Amino acid sequence: MLMSTKEILGYTIQATDGEIGQVSDFLVDDHFKLRYLVIDTGKWLPGKKVALSTAWISTVDPHKQTVVMNIDRKRIEEGPDYSEEHVLDREYETQLHAHYRYPPYWL
């Protein structure tokens, strides 16, 4: 099933042990491949945003408007902050993948 990214904005992010935020944006690479969801942790961690790889998604439930990640809340809470001012270079991605303990997609 294909979905518009507009439909997924605002979906709840479910970690392995509870809710942690909502989808607020998307990051695509220079080949227009969707690489990351930007998560606003709003009411859980005010003012914090994180980027989570689409490869770490367990399931997407359009009926419940939920994206389930294969990561626990604590790891997301401690994850590298994301802001629009960040340079999204290989160094940032390396830090991100190391923190979440997932192998980089580019290797």
Side-chain angles (χ1 to χ4, degrees):
M1 173 169 96
L2 293 175
M3 297 174 59
S4 167
T5 55
K6 290 179 193 175
E7 293 178 57
I8 300 170
L9 286 174
Y11 271 32
T12 299
I13 296 296
Q14 182 78 28
T16 57
D17 55 351
E19 290 182 16
I20 190 62
Q22 294 183 323
V23 178
S24 66
D25 203 354
F26 304 93
L27 302 172
V28 297
D29 67 15
D30 55 357
H31 299 290
F32 288 95
K33 178 156 178 141
L34 181 62
R35 291 286 179 197
Y36 299 98
L37 303 176
V38 176
I39 308 309
D40 184 342
T41 60
K43 64 183 179 184
W44 296 271
L45 299 167
K48 183 172 176 87
K49 289 186 177 184
V50 296
L52 299 175
S53 173
T54 56
W56 309 334
I57 294 173
S58 176
T59 59
V60 177
D61 187 335
H63 301 293
K64 293 181 180 178
Q65 297 187 337
T66 301
V67 177
V68 179
M69 301 302 295
N70 239 352
I71 304 169
D72 63 59
R73 286 179 55 156
K74 183 172 175 33
R75 186 155 311 277
I76 295 171
E77 289 171 3
E78 295 171 348
D81 288 346
Y82 168 80
S83 76
E84 292 179 13
E85 291 79 41
H86 266 115
V87 175
L88 298 174
D89 57 10
R90 194 62 82 205
E91 182 179 332
Y92 177 80
E93 286 188 290
T94 300
Q95 176 187 8
L96 203 60
H97 284 259
H99 172 78
Y100 290 110
R101 298 182 185 150
Y102 279 100
Y105 65 87
W106 58 90
L107 294 181

